[in-house]
Each structure stands twice: as C-alpha cells, then as structure tokens.
Amino acid sequence: MTAAIKQAAQRTPLVLALDFDMTLTISDTISNVAETARRKNPEYRDFQWFVNEYIKDHRTFYTQWEPQIAEHRTKGTVDRSFMDKYLEALRPVETASLDRINRHGILANVTRAEFAAAGRDVQFRPGATTFINHFIHCSYNCSICVVSVNWSKDFIHGALSANGVDTEKGRISIYANDMEFGSTGLSTGRLAPKLVVAKDKGEVVEGFKREVTEEHGCNPLVVYAGDSPTDLPALLDADVGLLIGDNSSPIDWCGWLGVEFGVQRTGTKENSSVLYKLASWDKAIATVEGHLK
Ligand SMILES: [Mg+2]
C-alpha cells in the first residue's frame, strides 16, 4: 500500500451532497428543461402559463401561512418542527404544479441526449466546478451526489460535464425527478414526482449517507450545499452545511431559528454541526477541509 493510499484509507470518508439550481448554477434552470421540450412542441401551452399558475398557488399558500409565521416570530417560538411543518405544507402546491405539467404533456417528444445537450447552456457559479473537481481528485474517500427537484437527470449530467466537472473520474450520483421515456426513446411527457419538497431531499441525503457508511464501515462527514428553504433541513442536519449565495429566505429562517452561521451547534468535537453562509464558492474548499482530519 502506498503512503498516499494508506493516508486516504485512514481518513474519514466524505459525502458531498449538492443542490443544483442556484447552488451550482447562477440561475434557476427548470425553464431551460421546459424550453427544450417547447422547441419540439410549439403548439403546446406556453411554459409561462405554468409558471404563473404556480406563482398564484404559492401566493395563496403564503397568505395562509403568513399570520402563523408572524405569530411564532413574535413569540420567539419558531423551531425546527414548525419549519418542517411549513415546508411539508408546500407539497400540494408543488404536486399541483407537476400535475399540470403532466396533464398537458409539455415535456413530451424529447430524447435523453437532447436534454443532456440542453444542459450545455447552463452556467455554473464561479468556483463551483473547482470545488467539485478538487474533491474528485483529492485523496479523500469522497462520494458525491446532486440532490435536486429539477426535472431531468440527463440535463443535470449534461450541465455538470459542460461546466468542466470531471464526471468521468468522479462518480456522481444524481437524484432528481425524471421523465418517463417510451420505447422510441422519446419522453412521454410524464414526470414521476420523487423529489418535491425539503423532506424528500433530506431523505435522499440520509439514504446516501447510509450507503457510504456501509461501504466504508464508518460514518462519513456529510457536507451539504444549498441555497433555498427547500435545502434548510438538509443544511441543518449535515455535519457541515454550506448556504450558498444571498437568498434572503433561508437566511431569515436561520435568524428566526436562532442558528448562528459558522458556530458549532450540537454534539461533541467528533460530531459537530455547523452552517456556514458563503456568498460564493471561493472559500468552500478551505471551509470543508477545516473539518477533515
Ligand atoms: Mg436550489
């Protein structure tokens, strides 16, 4: 065994779980997926209609929840279980949106290769690729997964490759919703909703962690990077959470929950939970390496 392999074998395994939209990418890319299909189906209803319906449902949802949030904030009783309840209550809003997409079949008639090719137009945040490739090529026992509510695994894979992520060397598991494809190789227009709300993302990360634990025979250090409230439970449950960007909503929730950025919250030295707020990916490598033995 070489010294490098010995060193790697002794190191704590590392799990990098990464949200996709607005965490790795500079903008939300669901519309890119929809537009790819729209070019094949110009006669179908415009995607903006689906966006507008979703926004309407979301406004209604928020109007219903706003008084409860205000009350809990006033009393200082915003806690994890209240936040989890709020995030889970979004499920019907998200499911209704996916039902509309399915009913109208607007994602039909596209091949996997075409979705992957569309991923080439996606632009990553500066430093995101450097971060992923660093851990692919370093001597840590690193397992990487992308956990996304996006609609196409092929699209995500295409975007990772096009942005220079070494998907050949690094095994990256992609967990996302995905299209159904017929025997002709074309999408049927049906999308099976698997990852819809925060709880679904958290469960994926837990499952991935269990697999890595079994593979290595010890608990990995779990790093989760995300940008939105949908990522918050996973960010808080990770050993190291990286809240990327400047989305005010997760920052507000952290304030209401009393979570201080960069401060160890629970556990012992061996088992700490820390959430960092990073405006960009620049300091992410050093931040994670500070937690690796
Ligand atoms: Mg996101």
Side-chain angles (χ1 to χ4, degrees):
M1 207 187 268
T2 67
I5 294 172
K6 250 187 205 167
Q7 193 189 20
Q10 286 162 359
R11 279 179 165 164
T12 306
L14 173 65
V15 163
L16 290 186
L18 311 164
D19 168 53
F20 181 70
D21 283 293
M22 303 290 286
T23 295
L24 298 180
T25 71
I26 58 166
S27 56
D28 194 88
T29 66
I30 291 277
S31 61
N32 298 42
V33 175
E35 288 307 323
T36 305
R38 172 103 179 131
R39 285 194 284 275
K40 292 296 201 70
N41 310 302
E43 73 281 16
Y44 287 5
R45 202 188 266 270
D46 192 276
F47 184 58
Q48 191 57 46
W49 178 81
F50 296 89
V51 174
N52 294 344
E53 291 299 299
Y54 176 75
I55 292 171
K56 260 193 261 171
D57 284 356
H58 210 276
R59 277 205 196 110
T60 307
F61 167 84
Y62 195 70
T63 307
Q64 286 162 354
W65 274 83
E66 206 173 14
Q68 284 191 66
I69 293 173
E71 191 187 337
H72 277 272
R73 283 180 58 196
T74 307
K75 290 181 181 164
T77 53
V78 176
D79 60 10
R80 175 65 188 265
S81 78
F82 176 69
M83 183 186 77
D84 286 346
K85 205 170 128 195
Y86 167 81
L87 292 170
E88 185 60 28
L90 272 165
R91 191 179 290 278
V93 175
E94 301 296 339
T95 306
S97 171
L98 292 172
D99 281 350
R100 278 190 292 270
I101 299 288
N102 278 337
R103 259 201 326 275
H104 288 261
I106 63 164
L107 300 173
N109 303 320
V110 186
T111 65
R112 286 188 178 277
E114 285 166 337
F115 280 123
R120 288 189 209 130
D121 296 333
V122 174
Q123 202 182 339
F124 275 15
R125 286 180 184 267
T129 297
T130 307
F131 174 84
I132 301 171
N133 283 345
H134 174 82
F135 288 103
I136 286 175
H137 293 283
C138 71
S139 58
Y140 299 108
N141 292 315
C142 182
S143 304
I144 303 175
C145 64
V146 172
V147 188
S148 173
V149 297
N150 201 295
W151 298 342
S152 167
K153 290 182 185 178
D154 301 295
F155 176 81
I156 292 173
H157 192 271
L160 289 165
S161 299
N163 279 275
V165 173
D166 191 353
T167 50
E168 295 295 313
K169 180 155 194 292
R171 272 188 307 134
I172 302 181
S173 306
I174 298 172
Y175 298 91
N177 300 302
D178 211 5
M179 243 70 75
E180 184 186 272
F181 290 85
S183 55
T184 56
L186 294 174
S187 55
T188 62
R190 286 205 62 82
L191 182 73
K194 285 184 185 158
L195 275 155
V196 180
V197 293
K199 188 173 171 232
D200 305 333
K201 297 185 100 175
E203 284 175 356
V204 164
V205 179
E206 271 306 303
F208 192 72
K209 180 186 171 183
R210 269 198 305 277
E211 281 175 30
V212 173
T213 304
E214 276 169 29
E215 188 186 330
H216 293 282
C218 62
N219 280 328
L221 182 93
V222 177
V223 176
Y224 185 92
D227 74 291
S228 75
T230 308
D231 299 306
L232 261 183
L235 282 166
L236 294 170
D237 290 341
D239 299 303
V240 180
L242 306 175
L243 177 56
I244 303 287
D246 52 9
N247 183 349
S248 61
S249 183
I251 296 171
D252 287 345
W253 274 100
C254 287
W256 304 336
L257 288 163
V259 172
E260 285 182 73
F261 296 118
V263 175
Q264 185 180 316
R265 293 193 310 282
T266 57
T268 62
K269 239 182 181 178
E270 288 74 36
N271 177 24
S272 59
S273 284
V274 189
L275 178 60
Y276 294 94
K277 187 171 100 54
L278 302 178
S280 72
W281 281 96
D282 298 351
K283 295 194 174 83
I285 293 173
T287 304
V288 171
E289 289 196 328
H291 288 267
L292 290 165
K293 292 180 193 116

